[in-house]
Amino acid sequence: MRKKKLAAALLAAGMVVASVTGCGGGDTATTGGDESAKGSTDEKKDDAGSGEVTEFTMFISSPGSEINSDNEIANIIAEKTGVKVKETFLTGQTAEEAVGTYIASGDYTDYINGGDGMVKLYEAGALIPWDDYIDKYPNIKEFLTPEEWDMFRQDDGKIYWLNPFDNSYGEDKTTTHGGEAFWIQTRVLKWAGYPEIKTLDQYFDLLEKYNEANPTMEDGATTNIPYTILCEDWRYFCLENAPQFLDGYPNDGSCMVDKETLTVMDYNTSDTAKKYFNKLNEEYKKGIVDPESFTQTYDEYIAKLSTGRVLGMVDQWWDFAYTINDILKTQGLDKQGCNYVPMGLVIDEGMENRWYTAGDTVNVSSGIGITVNCKDPDKAFKFIDDCLSQEIHDLRFWGVEGVDYLVDDEGLFYRTEDIRMQVADTDYKASHMCSYSNFPQYGGTSRDGKNAMTPAQQPTEFFDSLTDDLKECFEAYGCQTYIDFLNSDSERPGEWFPMWSFSNSFSTATPGGTAWTKIGEIKHEYLPKVCMADDFESAWTEYMGVYDSCNPQDYLGELQEELNRRVGK
């Protein structure tokens, strides 16, 4: 039935449907094995018979799910743009290792998102400048203001990549908190009568009480995990940087900034940091903190969340929700109250709360680039431009009209519950949906002035898609969006914000970068020890001594210089 609907939708669009309704002949897939992600363009005949389709390759330095080679929407996009992209995601390596491997071999994919390794790719001469193409392609040019484009210029004065995320068109329609928070399942809050949770102590007190009364899930056999922590590789932000938020500061990542004196401060050594890690130590000894926290991989962490067993954790929405929410839905665990809502905690009641920062944030340290191995850069840039057209953007995030969403009499897009279940299905996403997730994309309002750029930001669709447990939780707290749960002061920070867009590009070429690298290594080694120590005070004193030997004043000094530059001080 689904294929008949899809075929009808494609016919309505004036397209040939053979390529998406059957599995035989004319497959546009690249060859299997490691070579599928290597090399540059490969010209093949499009199934729909419209001419040549260029197949580009792309490496993305974060985990993700590859779509099928005959993915239906990828084929539609190829029909309309003449381009298909084979995306390969990070597996079995750290992002730094993967980028290093590409640089050592010189064998690059056509597109690359190397995360914080983009500077290294630039220094290795792996990337093509964008400067000759920005004015040529209006959708690319429109994506940033001239001032924002200038922020991406490197030492030679040219632009080599573009961050594809956190950019709104038209009216802001944000409904989710994409950043960091202490997350908690709705079943825990419901059991407690939806209490106000404002401090770290209140949060863990509730987890303890709930777990004591409800040690297992509904089946009576599956044991709950009250609190887990992700510490693997660069994701150890889930362990180490909560003190800045608990102290009432926004996410500068590498430091806190006193907005009155414009002075950089070290959150690693603050009184709040010590209180926070002492709390984790206490909860570890009580059995509330998952004993596997400090050794589990990202995949193991996601697997735990997907079972619905984990009551709470610190993380950023994008790091877990896009993966597990659909899994919880397809397993029916969302109906058991296993979805998460964010808590904007502070160390003591009455403090300022800055977990959420309103508005777009330009991250210049990472993004999508086009490599010197790309045989047709002009077509590669044109495809980026096409991805930002409203027609292709709708295909990427809404899908096919009549199949993945419907349109009411007023022109508003919506989904039925059956469609929501369909687009949440893993197999359906692999065979049909194609977001090209690391290509530039918008939030906010569609160019039609009515709809949101993505379903998650469509107000009616957002609320209608919530489970009854989530709706009850939203209503109990008087919330219309996830952001409302945080009760944050959403005042935009100063011109310096965010400092992580500078520190993410640190290298050992400077004393500050060297100190930053050493500090990262020390925190990876010592913070798990601090959390598990029999004697917290001794462990913390030892950690502070080793931390101080890294010369943190060097990295703080370079951060201060950059802050001064940004504010014109």
Side-chain angles (χ1 to χ4, degrees):
M1 181 62 70
R2 180 180 67 80
K3 286 190 177 294
K4 289 182 180 178
K5 288 183 179 179
L6 181 57
L10 295 181
L11 284 170
M15 291 181 56
V16 178
V17 299
S19 65
V20 294
T21 56
C23 298
D27 188 2
T28 59
T30 53
T31 56
D34 291 341
E35 293 304 312
S36 66
K38 299 290 185 180
S40 52
T41 60
D42 178 24
E43 300 287 348
K44 293 194 177 182
K45 198 76 172 178
D46 175 52
D47 288 340
S50 65
E52 300 295 333
V53 168
T54 301
E55 290 194 357
F56 288 115
T57 56
M58 181 175 188
F59 172 71
I60 300 160
S61 63
S62 60
S65 299
E66 295 185 23
I67 59 176
N68 296 351
S69 61
D70 60 347
N71 179 277
E72 293 164 340
I73 289 180
N75 283 343
I76 297 172
I77 292 174
E79 170 74 17
K80 293 178 178 294
T81 66
V83 169
K84 197 171 186 180
V85 180
K86 167 64 176 175
E87 298 169 301
T88 302
F89 295 87
L90 184 70
T91 55
Q93 290 179 299
T94 66
E96 184 178 8
E97 289 169 344
V99 169
T101 299
Y102 274 107
I103 291 173
S105 69
D107 188 10
Y108 302 104
T109 52
D110 299 293
Y111 297 103
I112 192 166
N113 186 335
D116 295 336
M118 295 304 289
V119 170
K120 292 182 179 178
L121 289 164
Y122 155 68
E123 292 173 344
L127 304 175
I128 290 173
W130 287 52
D131 301 71
D132 293 338
Y133 299 94
I134 293 172
D135 286 338
K136 185 175 181 180
Y137 292 111
N139 292 329
I140 293 178
K141 184 176 182 179
E142 180 189 35
F143 195 70
L144 296 177
T145 66
E147 294 76 18
E148 289 170 338
W149 276 114
D150 284 342
M151 293 169 66
F152 284 87
R153 296 193 183 280
Q154 300 305 303
D155 293 341
D156 64 358
K158 296 182 179 180
I159 297 165
Y160 289 88
W161 63 84
L162 167 66
N163 194 285
F165 308 117
D166 202 16
N167 197 347
S168 296
Y169 190 95
E171 180 186 353
D172 182 11
K173 289 182 174 288
T174 306
T175 55
T176 57
H177 171 57
E180 194 163 342
F182 279 87
W183 299 87
I184 193 167
Q185 289 184 329
T186 59
R187 59 176 170 143
V188 180
L189 297 170
K190 183 176 183 177
W191 172 84
Y194 300 110
E196 289 293 325
I197 305 296
K198 297 180 179 180
T199 69
L200 186 68
D201 287 340
Q202 292 168 355
Y203 177 83
F204 276 107
D205 184 57
L206 177 55
L207 291 183
E208 288 180 35
K209 289 177 179 176
Y210 179 87
N211 190 62
E212 183 179 2
N214 307 274
T216 65
M217 296 182 66
E218 281 188 5
D219 60 15
T222 307
T223 305
N224 287 321
I225 299 172
Y227 187 83
T228 197
I229 308 169
L230 177 60
C231 302
E232 186 186 31
D233 194 32
W234 56 272
R235 285 184 171 89
Y236 82 126
F237 64 78
C238 297
L239 169 66
E240 65 89 18
N241 73 354
Q244 65 180 324
F245 297 107
L246 292 170
D247 243 346
Y249 290 89
N251 187 21
D252 272 303
S254 51
C255 64
M256 301 181 294
V257 175
D258 185 316
K259 62 184 179 182
E260 300 300 330
T261 64
L262 296 180
T263 303
V264 166
M265 299 177 292
D266 189 353
Y267 66 76
N268 296 290
T269 59
S270 68
D271 291 342
T272 295
K274 183 177 180 181
K275 291 177 183 178
Y276 164 66
F277 287 107
N278 190 23
K279 188 65 178 179
L280 291 182
N281 178 273
E282 291 173 0
E283 298 300 329
Y284 179 83
K285 291 174 181 175
K286 293 177 183 178
I288 297 301
V289 172
D290 178 9
E292 296 177 351
S293 290
F294 309 110
T295 56
Q296 66 186 341
T297 65
Y298 176 71
D299 289 343
E300 290 167 340
Y301 167 79
I302 289 297
K304 284 179 183 176
L305 298 188
S306 299
T307 65
R309 298 171 62 202
V310 178
L311 306 182
M313 72 288 179
V314 167
D315 204 344
Q316 301 207 32
W317 171 270
W318 54 263
D319 196 37
F320 74 94
Y322 296 117
T323 301
I324 71 152
N325 283 359
D326 286 343
I327 296 174
L328 295 175
K329 187 177 184 68
T330 55
Q331 295 183 106
L333 292 170
D334 57 341
K335 296 178 180 178
Q336 296 182 31
C338 294
N339 284 117
Y340 297 95
V341 293
M343 299 281 105
L345 307 183
V346 289
I347 201 67
D348 295 311
E349 277 202 69
M351 295 176 64
E352 189 175 61
N353 167 358
R354 300 297 299 273
W355 285 86
Y356 175 72
T357 300
D360 300 333
T361 298
V362 180
N363 176 12
V364 300
S365 64
S366 64
I368 180 175
I370 296 174
T371 75
V372 293
N373 283 23
C374 182
K375 291 291 198 300
D376 194 345
D378 190 71
K379 195 166 188 178
F381 279 104
K382 183 180 184 301
F383 182 67
I384 293 176
D385 192 76
D386 289 337
C387 279
L388 288 168
S389 71
Q390 195 62 58
E391 179 185 23
I392 302 302
H393 202 280
D394 286 347
L395 280 167
R396 292 169 62 194
F397 296 101
W398 280 97
V400 175
E401 180 183 345
V403 177
D404 304 307
Y405 69 97
L406 305 174
V407 184
D408 69 15
D409 292 340
E410 296 181 357
L412 292 174
F413 298 175
Y414 70 98
R415 285 172 169 167
T416 65
E417 184 57 26
D418 286 344
I419 291 177
R420 292 186 198 108
M421 288 298 295
Q422 179 174 263
V423 298
D425 181 75
T426 301
D427 291 338
Y428 185 78
K429 287 191 289 186
S431 65
H432 177 74
M433 304 301 288
C434 175
S435 68
Y436 284 137
S437 61
N438 274 253
F439 280 81
Q441 56 198 257
Y442 281 116
T445 314
S446 168
R447 289 176 174 85
D448 65 11
K450 298 179 181 179
N451 291 289
M453 285 286 190
T454 65
Q457 294 191 349
Q458 190 86 320
T460 53
E461 176 59 28
F462 168 73
F463 197 78
D464 288 348
S465 68
L466 298 177
T467 63
D468 289 342
D469 268 43
L470 272 171
K471 287 179 181 176
E472 181 181 321
C473 188
F474 271 63
E475 290 168 355
Y477 287 100
C479 296
Q480 293 183 312
T481 70
Y482 284 100
I483 297 164
D484 295 339
F485 280 92
L486 295 165
N487 295 310
S488 286
D489 177 356
S490 58
E491 175 193 359
R492 190 74 181 166
E495 295 174 274
W496 75 82
F497 184 82
M499 292 303 295
W500 54 257
S501 67
F502 174 70
S503 61
N504 282 4
S505 301
F506 268 159
S507 73
T508 54
T510 69
T514 299
W516 177 252
T517 300
K518 289 180 180 178
I519 287 169
E521 293 169 352
I522 290 302
K523 288 197 286 189
H524 271 292
E525 178 182 355
Y526 277 85
L527 288 180
K529 294 179 181 179
V530 164
C531 292
M532 296 185 289
D534 291 333
D535 183 344
F536 172 80
E537 287 293 338
S538 295
W540 183 258
T541 299
E542 180 184 356
Y543 165 53
M544 286 290 95
V546 178
Y547 180 91
D548 190 57
S549 71
C550 297
N551 297 320
Q553 66 276 6
D554 288 340
Y555 102 87
L556 292 170
E558 289 183 20
L559 287 174
Q560 185 67 56
E561 289 177 9
E562 175 63 13
L563 185 147
N564 292 346
R565 186 192 68 78
R566 291 184 179 189
V567 301
K569 190 174 177 181

